[in-house]
């Protein structure tokens, strides 16, 4: 009998989701397996079910298309994280309803493509009997169990492009330009983009900053005859003695707190202190849109094919990961979730930046 695989995308979207879907459908098709897309995140498994068949012929063009053809959600009945990442158990009756519908669809397995929140839901579903396999997605690159997540490289490319553009206008006007990037509680996007885009100051959640240090960097540059300064700040960066800057604190009882606003705060303070004209650009969801880079395309394709192979082997309750040797391998969902990988303040990445005189605001 033909076996059927369900595919669901959860959490925030990111470039490469469609490339993973394509890889699973194409690899499955060659085996004679059928795939079904679950729409709108896990809620698509609730009554009325939102599922549609995905055939190999439908996959044309998906390797390079941003977003997800299945739609996604980072709120709703299945949210497993609230506030600043606090755990929440998906209600049993929701899981039971989803399982009943999953069985009625005749699905053999479910592939859950998402970040820590989605994979936490996947683990809860696995524990109640879902044959499930995870694929690690997030522009934040903050999952400890894999060397990298897909979507991150594309987000960094977007931030580097923004820094390149900000350089010329900053130089023309002798201004300070502040670029706020995403990344939640990890500074990977800011650190990698800052290094590749020639930022003078990189502010990340892993290193608390103060304005005196930023001011010193601006003054050093002025003394060298450089009258512009580029600052990249991660949305989760914090000032010494202060907490996260957030934009939906009051409305986040059943969902994760939205970070953001630190860029404008930093820009205002720099302008007041340095008396230099300062502007802020919030890159926001531009980092999540558009075509995936070549790295993300091949990573997604490898993740998708290996996820399918894990299903063939009935390796359920696992996530496919890129290991230290650059190979694909399984990691249990249990070991993969709730472990955030953050930039090491004493690590090679930060040390390399410091060796160039880049300030971390400390
Ligand atoms: O986790 C991905 C991410 O883009 C974070 O970097 C960011 O904090 C968050 O999602 C934004 O979420 P939303 O799309 O709900 O504003």
């Amino acid at each position: 009998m033909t076996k059927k695989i369900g595919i669901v995308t959860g959490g925030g979207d990111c470039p490469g989701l469609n490339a993973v879907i394509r890889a699973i459908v194409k690899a499955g098709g060659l085996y004679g397996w059928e795939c079904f897309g679950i729409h709108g995140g896990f809620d698509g498994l609730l009554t009325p079910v939102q599922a549609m068949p995905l055939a190999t012929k439908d996959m044309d063009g998906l390797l390079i298309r941003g977003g997800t053809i299945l739609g996604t959600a980072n709120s709703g009945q299945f949210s497993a994280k609230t506030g600043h990442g606090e755990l929440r158990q998906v209600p049993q009756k929701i899981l039971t309803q989803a399982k009943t519908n999953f069985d009625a669809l005749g699905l053999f397995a479910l592939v859950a493509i998402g970040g820590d929140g989605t994979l936490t839901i996947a683990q809860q579903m696995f524990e109640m009997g879902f044959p499930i396999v995870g694929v690690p997605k997030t522009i934040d690159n903050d999952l400890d169990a894999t060397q990298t997540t897909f979507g991150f490289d594309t987000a960094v490319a977007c931030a580097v492009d923004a820094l390149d553009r900000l350089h010329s206008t900053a130089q023309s006007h002798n201004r300070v330009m502040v670029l706020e990037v995403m990344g939640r509680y990890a500074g990977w996007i800011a650190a990698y983009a800052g290094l590749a885009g020639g930022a003078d100051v990189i502010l990340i959640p892993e290193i608390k900053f103060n304005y005196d240090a930023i001011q010193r960097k601006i003054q050093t540059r002025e003394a060298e005859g450089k009258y512009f300064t580029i600052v990249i700040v991660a949305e989760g960066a914090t000032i010494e003695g202060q907490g996260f800057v957030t934009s939906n604190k009051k409305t986040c009882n059943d969902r994760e707190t939205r970070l953001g606003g630190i860029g404008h705060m930093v820009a205002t303070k720099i302008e007041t202190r340095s008396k230099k004209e300062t502007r802020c650009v919030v890159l926001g969801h531009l980092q999540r849109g558009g075509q995936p880079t070549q790295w993300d395309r091949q990573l997604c394709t490898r993740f998708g094919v290996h996820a399918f192979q894990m299903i063939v082997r009935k390796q359920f309750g696992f996530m496919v990961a890129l290991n230290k040797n650059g190979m694909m391998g399984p990691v249990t969902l249990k070991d993969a979730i709730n472990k955030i990988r953050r930039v090491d303040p004493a690590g090679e990445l930060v040390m390399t930046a410091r060796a160039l005189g880049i300030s971390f605001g400390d």
Side-chain angles (χ1 to χ4, degrees):
M1 207 173 73
T2 308
K3 291 205 171 86
K4 296 179 190 171
I5 300 173
I7 305 172
V8 65
T9 52
D13 71 339
C14 94
L17 284 164
N18 286 325
V20 178
I21 296 167
R22 167 185 175 270
I24 300 166
V25 172
K26 288 187 82 165
L30 285 176
Y31 256 66
W33 291 35
E34 286 176 11
C35 290
F36 280 80
I38 310 298
H39 275 251
F42 291 107
D43 282 36
L45 276 174
L46 299 178
T47 313
V49 171
Q50 312 275 338
M52 66 160 189
L54 298 169
T56 299
K57 67 175 173 44
D58 304 327
M59 298 298 109
D60 287 353
L62 285 194
L63 184 59
I64 64 170
R65 198 194 302 173
T68 163
I69 54 164
L70 302 179
T72 187
N74 52 10
S75 57
Q77 306 275 20
F78 278 85
S79 69
K81 294 279 171 96
T82 61
H84 287 299
E86 283 82 61
L87 261 180
R88 174 178 175 271
Q89 178 64 42
V90 178
Q92 195 58 39
K93 73 171 198 306
I94 295 296
L95 292 174
T96 305
Q97 190 186 125
K99 184 67 167 64
T100 304
N101 290 333
F102 175 88
D103 291 339
L105 284 168
L107 296 177
F108 177 76
L110 184 65
V111 183
I113 313 170
D116 188 53
T118 302
L119 298 170
T120 301
I121 296 167
Q123 169 63 16
Q124 292 181 13
M125 293 171 84
F126 173 66
E127 282 167 13
M128 70 86 62
F130 273 87
I132 202 159
V133 162
V135 177
K137 161 242 76 163
T138 171
I139 64 163
D140 304 337
N141 197 34
D142 59 355
L143 293 182
D144 196 46
T146 181
Q147 288 303 297
T148 190
T149 55
F150 74 85
F152 170 64
D153 188 64
T154 308
V156 170
C158 175
V160 171
D161 180 54
L163 288 176
D164 290 349
R165 290 164 191 269
L166 290 177
H167 256 96
S168 56
T169 177
Q171 193 160 19
S172 307
H173 288 269
N174 288 336
R175 282 175 173 163
V176 178
M177 299 296 304
V178 177
L179 178 69
E180 179 184 306
V181 295
M182 285 183 167
R184 227 184 266 282
Y185 306 108
W188 294 108
I189 298 176
Y192 270 88
L195 208 56
D200 306 299
V201 179
I202 300 175
L203 305 176
I204 56 175
E206 293 83 352
I207 301 174
K208 295 216 168 249
F209 70 90
N210 65 75
Y211 290 112
D212 287 343
I214 300 174
Q215 175 70 7
R216 272 199 306 278
K217 180 65 189 173
I218 294 169
Q219 282 167 347
T220 307
R221 286 178 58 75
E222 302 256 323
E224 291 167 348
K226 296 172 190 163
Y227 301 105
F228 70 97
T229 295
I230 303 289
V231 179
I232 185 165
V233 54
E235 61 181 359
T238 54
I239 302 159
E240 279 169 9
Q242 294 185 24
F244 295 112
V245 179
T246 59
S247 53
N248 72 333
K249 218 172 195 164
K250 293 201 178 80
T251 56
C252 67
N253 289 342
D254 60 349
R255 59 177 302 166
E256 281 196 84
T257 307
R258 202 181 318 138
L259 299 175
I262 186 77
H264 282 288
M265 198 178 269
V266 166
T268 305
K269 199 74 174 192
I270 288 175
E271 188 161 70
T272 310
R273 292 184 62 136
S274 68
K275 308 278 184 283
K276 286 190 71 70
E277 265 203 294
T278 304
R279 298 287 189 270
C280 172
V281 173
V282 179
L283 202 51
H285 292 78
L286 289 174
Q287 292 157 99
R288 297 228 308 248
Q291 297 186 353
T293 58
Q294 68 75 24
W295 167 259
D296 274 336
R297 290 179 205 184
Q298 56 90 0
L299 191 61
C300 290
T301 304
R302 293 166 72 196
F303 276 146
V305 167
H306 283 265
F308 172 69
Q309 290 170 350
M310 281 160 62
I311 289 172
V312 173
R313 293 194 295 268
K314 297 192 187 157
Q315 216 163 10
F316 302 128
F318 283 81
M319 178 191 92
V320 58
L322 184 71
N323 68 27
K324 288 202 170 81
N325 301 322
M327 309 291 282
M328 292 287 148
V331 178
T332 63
L333 282 169
K334 206 171 175 185
D335 286 334
I337 58 176
N338 298 318
K339 286 185 195 126
I340 296 303
R341 193 167 66 97
R342 306 178 81 204
V343 177
D344 178 0
E348 185 267 334
L349 186 62
V350 171
M351 290 308 151
T352 300
R354 288 198 196 274
L356 291 182
I358 295 172
S359 167
F360 283 84
D362 59 340

